[in-house]
Amino acid sequence: MRTSTLPSTGVPAARVRALAEAERARYATQNPASQALAQRAAGHLMFGVPLHWMSDWATPFPLQVAAARGARLTDVDGHELVDFCLGDTGAMFGHSPPAVTAALQAQSTRGLTTMLPGEDASAVAELLAERFGLPHWQFAMTASDANRFVLRWLRAAMGRPVLVVFNGCYHGTVDDVFVDLVDGRPVQRGSLLGQVHDLTAATRVVEFNDLAGLEAALAPGDVACVLAEPVMTNIGMVLPEPGFWERAIEVIHRHGSQLVMDETHTISSGPGGYARAHGLKADAVVVGKPLGGGMPCAAYGFSAELATKAEAAKRAAPPGHSGIGTTLTANLLAMAAMRATLGTLMTPEVFAPLHARCTRLADGLRAVIARHGLPWCVTQVGARCEFQFCATPPRNGSEAGAAMDAELEHALHLFLLNRGVLITPFHNMMLVCPDTTDADVQRLLGAMDAALQELSGA
């Protein structure tokens, strides 16, 4: 526990603790129905929630949702919250977008799942090829599954066993990526439960923006692919330095490896993701959460050359299960949702105002932070922005991790929630959706200003 002012945040630890204590008490008073429902849930749900990480919010007991629509969330106590979390990107186009709900209602009377393709499958693949510039596609239920399947395809297609990732990355619940750099050495992440295999045998990890480190990891010639977000977003945002990706792609290909871009979060950059918006050509792309407007579905695309190699590897393998795919993957309901999302929401016309509104939010946060004299920075990637407890944006995962302060994050998040504003519980990320208004942005900025005033004692 912190005992004094930390230079990294500029906030006295005693004020952080006092604010957190006061906000926990306020939350408990304001949310009796949530508390009662949380107590009921504790009888049969492990950790009192459907998924254990739902208990990781700053709240003393889980907030219970009654309804969500557009940029609004209503809890069981009747409070309406402006939602800048948006399901951590799953509802990036708003909760229950009308085009998606209409498609789901129509499809629900024509079948939910059959293990067979329909016309929507061809339409969705065509739209994905148009958006991302890759010609061949397959589907999954989640980005976790998509990343897992892509790694199998790439290892089989390339005939190479090793994966390279960047330090501090997260690509869903894919065991292979849970390797960190500790004092310059690869170490299996201690938080990974139940893993009995040595992941460091087939996973190498380097720092983001480190071309020399990437070159060294690729040099043995046994790397199937580099799996990366084009902008790191899961340990706080880390932007690529100018020219990094152009040079990295050259290095990756020179060593006979492939680049897989995980655009699940960076789809906030535009309808084709960050890579397409910045003229970068990946060999494979994964996109998950927002693709179905909130429905569980994901997709991954391959270049023509890589698809040819992957198909050849499958045909050359003995008959039997490939370890790729699940029964409900590409079900009819998911395909209808993806078609509606791609056709009506993942378009330049929708993204342009999102980017403009997020820029106003990012600029407003910078002004609030500067007004209170704090050494924090703000980073924006399209419709997504984040503030971090460091004066300049971090250049790799180690620097981003060092800037984190869970106690301060929790105090700020809970303060905002108690004043009707919800942001993502994992670090300090915010998203705007088509339903977010300028008034919503001002409400967040006003609550943030009040929180920093409390912390500064002004």
Side-chain angles (χ1 to χ4, degrees), residues 13-379:
R15 288 196 180 278
V16 175
R17 289 195 295 271
L19 182 66
E21 184 177 351
E23 294 305 316
R24 283 192 290 268
R26 179 171 180 157
Y27 176 86
T29 300
Q30 289 183 172
N31 295 282
S34 271
Q35 186 168 29
L37 194 51
Q39 290 170 346
R40 173 185 169 188
H44 294 286
L45 291 173
M46 288 176 60
F47 305 95
V49 285
L51 288 170
H52 67 87
W53 48 255
M54 288 184 178
S55 62
D56 290 347
W57 290 76
T59 56
F61 49 84
L63 186 74
Q64 308 283 330
V65 176
R69 183 174 294 278
R72 298 289 189 279
L73 183 153
T74 304
D75 65 30
V76 296
D77 286 281
H79 305 124
E80 185 179 83
L81 306 174
V82 180
D83 189 2
F84 288 90
C85 172
L86 297 170
D88 190 25
T89 311
M92 193 181 83
F93 300 108
H95 297 288
S96 298
V100 176
T101 58
L104 293 174
Q105 288 168 354
Q107 183 60 49
S108 67
T109 64
R110 301 196 298 265
L112 305 180
T113 186
T114 62
M115 293 205 314
L116 291 167
E119 197 258 337
D120 280 348
S122 295
V124 169
E126 289 162 1
L127 287 165
L128 286 167
E130 177 188 335
R131 296 286 188 278
F132 292 92
L134 292 172
H136 298 289
W137 290 82
Q138 291 279 273
F139 297 93
M141 292 293 289
T142 66
S144 292
D145 277 347
N147 280 313
R148 191 176 294 113
F149 299 160
V150 164
L151 293 183
R152 283 189 178 274
W153 282 120
L154 265 291
R155 283 168 166 157
M158 303 302 292
R160 295 177 169 195
V162 177
L163 163 71
V164 170
V165 295
F166 290 106
N167 190 36
C169 72
Y170 180 75
H171 296 283
T173 56
V174 180
D175 287 10
D176 305 68
V177 308
F178 284 85
V179 180
D180 296 321
L181 277 180
V182 178
D183 297 327
R185 295 186 305 106
V187 176
Q188 192 161 300
R189 199 170 295 177
S191 60
L192 180 61
L193 294 174
Q195 175 56 256
V196 297
H197 303 291
D198 177 12
L199 300 178
T200 63
T203 299
R204 296 189 190 123
V205 57
V206 300
E207 292 286 10
F208 199 65
N209 284 316
D210 181 1
L211 285 166
L214 179 62
E215 180 99 45
L218 293 164
D222 55 357
V223 174
C225 66
V226 175
L227 173 60
E229 292 183 289
V231 174
M232 295 190 78
T233 68
N234 281 287
I235 193 167
M237 285 202 216
V238 182
L239 293 169
E241 294 180 339
F244 169 73
W245 274 121
E246 289 80 1
R247 295 174 64 191
I249 290 170
E250 185 277 322
V251 170
I252 291 166
H253 288 162
R254 177 157 42 82
H255 288 283
S257 300
Q258 303 277 285
L259 173 61
V260 181
M261 288 287 202
D262 183 350
E263 293 267 18
T264 298
H265 278 174
T266 52
I267 193 66
S268 62
S269 302
Y274 185 96
R276 199 80 192 276
H278 291 81
L280 305 173
K281 292 186 178 180
D283 303 291
V285 164
V286 171
V287 61
K289 288 179 280 194
L291 187 56
M295 282 291 293
C297 48
Y300 54 97
F302 289 160
S303 68
E305 180 183 359
L306 182 54
T308 298
K309 290 180 178 179
E311 289 181 359
K314 171 59 181 166
R315 293 191 176 100
H321 202 292
S322 63
I324 298 168
T326 57
T327 303
L328 292 176
T329 293
N331 65 77
L332 298 177
L333 207 59
M335 301 309 294
M338 285 188 281
R339 186 174 186 177
T341 302
L342 285 159
T344 66
L345 298 171
M346 285 180 63
T347 67
E349 294 77 19
V350 170
F351 272 94
L354 297 188
H355 292 175
R357 185 156 286 123
C358 191
T359 295
R360 290 195 284 276
L361 172 57
D363 289 344
L365 285 169
R366 292 186 185 101
V368 169
I369 290 166
R371 184 156 57 246
H372 292 277
L374 291 169
W376 302 354
C377 64
V378 177
T379 303

Side-chain angles (χ1 to χ4, degrees), residues 434-451:
D435 301 285
T436 306
T437 66
D438 286 339
D440 296 335
V441 169
Q442 288 305 313
R443 184 171 179 178
L444 189 158
L445 294 175
M448 187 71 174
D449 191 37

